[in-house]
Structures are given as C-alpha cells and as structure tokens.
C-alpha cells in the first residue's frame, strides 16, 4: 500500500475472510509510532463501533478523516482486533506508542523495543500481524530527500525478522512515498524489501 492507513482495512478484511475470532499481536516496524487516536469523541467512537460491513470499513478508511496514515492502529484496538503491540520505531519528537488509557480500556498491551534484537527475542506465539513501513529505512530528516540504509543492513534487518515473518498470519507493508525518500528511493526500497519478505512469509 502507499498510505499506511490501509493496514487497518487489511486487518478487518483478514478477520472477516478467515472467520476469525482471534485477537492479534501487532509487530509494528516503522520510523513513526503512528499512535494517534482520532476516536476520542463519543460520536466518532460510536461511528466506528457500530460498523457492521467491510464495505463500511473501506469507505471510512477511504475518506481519510478519522483513519489516517498515523492513526490506523487505534481503531484496531477499539474494534478488538489487536491485543498486543510490539513497537520498533525511531521517531523521537513525539509521544511514544499508544496512550495508556486506550490500552487499558480495551485490554491491550504494548511493548516498546529499543532495538530489533530485543524485539525478535520476545517469545512470540501465533496470531501475529507483521506491519512494516519502508520509511524506517530512510535516515533523512527531510523526507523527500533520501539517505537510505545500506542495502546489506536492510537485508540483514529483514533476515533478523524472518522467524516472526514466517509465523505471521498477515504481512502489511507501506511504501509511504514522500517519507521513504525520493520516488526512486521508494521504488528501490520496494524492489529490495518485498522479495525478502515474500521469501520468508508462509501465510
């Protein structure tokens, strides 16, 4: 996907397609935390909780008003899709993770991992959603410019995640043009990363 907001639609569609009653462990690898909750007003919360069809979900995401590129995790918690979140994020100019009040209300737990080795050493079981944003691999402060990780470092990073990827129920990847460098940078990351993910994913 280009806009990361569509990850939420994918989660909803996966549960519906697979007739799943499970709640999932979200592994969120991204430069940004994407922890915004745009459903704090009661009217907005009712709009989300009363949705009954995947078509309504798609329309809500498509509108881009309440579910945006930085606020797609919260509805997954509210709709009881996500029960546990594992963050590996590099952003340091905003509040980290999800607000505790939202987590407590919907019985969701979060872990903030300082490095990828700490994340992969967690004892994961089944029911995992692996969620990656390619802007993780752009070091440039001014996003439309690109200062990408070295290719070998990117491949090594994906290799470290291979065990989690292989046991994930679903993998979602955001290209995030405008954040993952120039158009050429985004295309380069896509061509490099996607085959690596596919190599390990058994879903």
């Amino acid at each position: 996907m280009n806009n990361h907001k569509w990850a939420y639609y994918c989660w909803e569609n996966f549960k519906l397609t697979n007739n799943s009653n499970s709640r999932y462990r979200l592994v969120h690898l991204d430069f940004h935390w994407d922890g915004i909750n745009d459903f704090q007003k009661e009217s907005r919360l009712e709009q989300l909780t009363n949705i009954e069809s995947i078509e309504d979900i798609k329309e809500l995401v498509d509108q881009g008003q309440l579910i945006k590129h930085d606020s797609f995790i919260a509805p997954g918690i509210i709709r009881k899709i996500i029960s546990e979140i594992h963050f590996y994020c590099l952003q340091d100019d905003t509040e980290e993770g999800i607000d505790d009040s939202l987590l407590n209300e919907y019985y969701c737990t979060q872990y903030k991992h300082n490095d990828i080795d700490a994340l992969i050493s967690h004892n994961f079981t089944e029911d995992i959603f692996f969620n990656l944003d390619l802007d993780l691999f752009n070091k440039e402060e001014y996003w439309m410019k690109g200062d990408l990780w070295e290719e070998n470092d990117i491949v090594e990073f994906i290799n470290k995640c291979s065990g989690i990827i292989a046991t994930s129920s679903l993998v979602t990847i955001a290209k995030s043009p405008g954040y993952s460098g120039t158009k050429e940078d985004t295309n380069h990351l896509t061509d490099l990363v996607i085959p690596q993910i596919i190599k390990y994913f058994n879903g």
Side-chain angles (χ1 to χ4, degrees), residues 8-195:
Y8 168 65
Y9 170 79
C10 293
W11 303 339
E12 289 272 11
N13 192 56
F14 179 89
K15 283 181 64 73
L16 179 65
T17 303
N18 292 277
N19 195 26
S20 171
N21 292 318
S22 297
R23 294 182 69 186
Y24 290 83
R25 297 162 181 83
L26 175 64
V27 177
H28 179 71
L29 310 177
D30 193 327
F31 184 88
H32 302 95
W33 295 92
D34 296 342
I36 303 299
N37 177 16
D38 284 323
F39 292 94
Q40 297 186 54
K41 291 184 178 180
E42 190 64 30
S43 59
R44 294 180 175 183
L45 185 60
E46 288 181 2
Q47 181 181 358
L48 179 67
T49 54
N50 291 334
I51 282 177
E52 296 181 354
S53 72
I54 194 64
E55 289 78 16
D56 289 339
I57 292 289
K58 184 176 182 180
E59 182 178 356
L60 186 61
V61 176
D62 194 42
Q63 289 172 353
Q65 297 177 352
L66 300 180
I67 300 176
K68 300 187 285 290
H69 67 280
D70 58 356
S71 60
F72 62 91
I73 297 176
I77 297 171
I78 294 168
R79 296 268 295 178
K80 298 181 179 178
I81 299 173
I82 304 301
S83 63
E84 185 175 294
I85 310 170
H86 291 264
F87 288 102
Y88 175 70
C89 303
L90 304 180
Q91 185 179 19
D92 61 5
D93 61 353
T94 188
E95 186 174 343
E96 298 181 355
I98 301 291
D99 184 79
D100 285 338
S101 62
L102 180 65
L103 297 170
N104 293 336
E105 183 171 358
Y106 295 97
Y107 303 99
C108 182
T109 305
Q110 69 178 346
Y111 299 84
K112 304 168 189 175
H113 300 279
N114 293 324
D115 59 73
I116 194 60
D117 292 319
L119 188 151
I120 63 176
S121 67
H122 185 85
N123 185 26
F124 287 100
T125 55
E126 57 186 8
D127 298 333
I128 301 169
F129 285 166
F130 184 87
N131 183 56
L132 172 66
D133 194 325
L134 296 185
D135 72 10
L136 176 66
F137 304 121
N138 182 17
K139 297 180 288 184
E140 176 58 57
E141 179 180 357
Y142 301 99
W143 295 102
M144 286 300 293
K145 298 179 180 179
D147 180 15
L148 304 184
W149 294 20
E150 296 294 332
E151 285 191 12
N152 289 342
D153 292 335
I154 295 173
V155 172
E156 180 182 358
F157 182 92
I158 300 300
N159 287 344
K160 285 186 175 184
C161 298
S162 60
I164 300 174
I165 296 169
T167 55
S168 293
S169 300
L170 178 68
V171 171
T172 50
I173 303 172
K175 295 169 64 176
S176 293
Y179 291 94
S180 50
T182 65
K183 180 179 180 181
E184 291 75 18
D185 291 327
T186 302
N187 291 338
H188 172 69
L189 288 172
T190 301
D191 292 341
L192 176 63
V193 171
I194 300 298

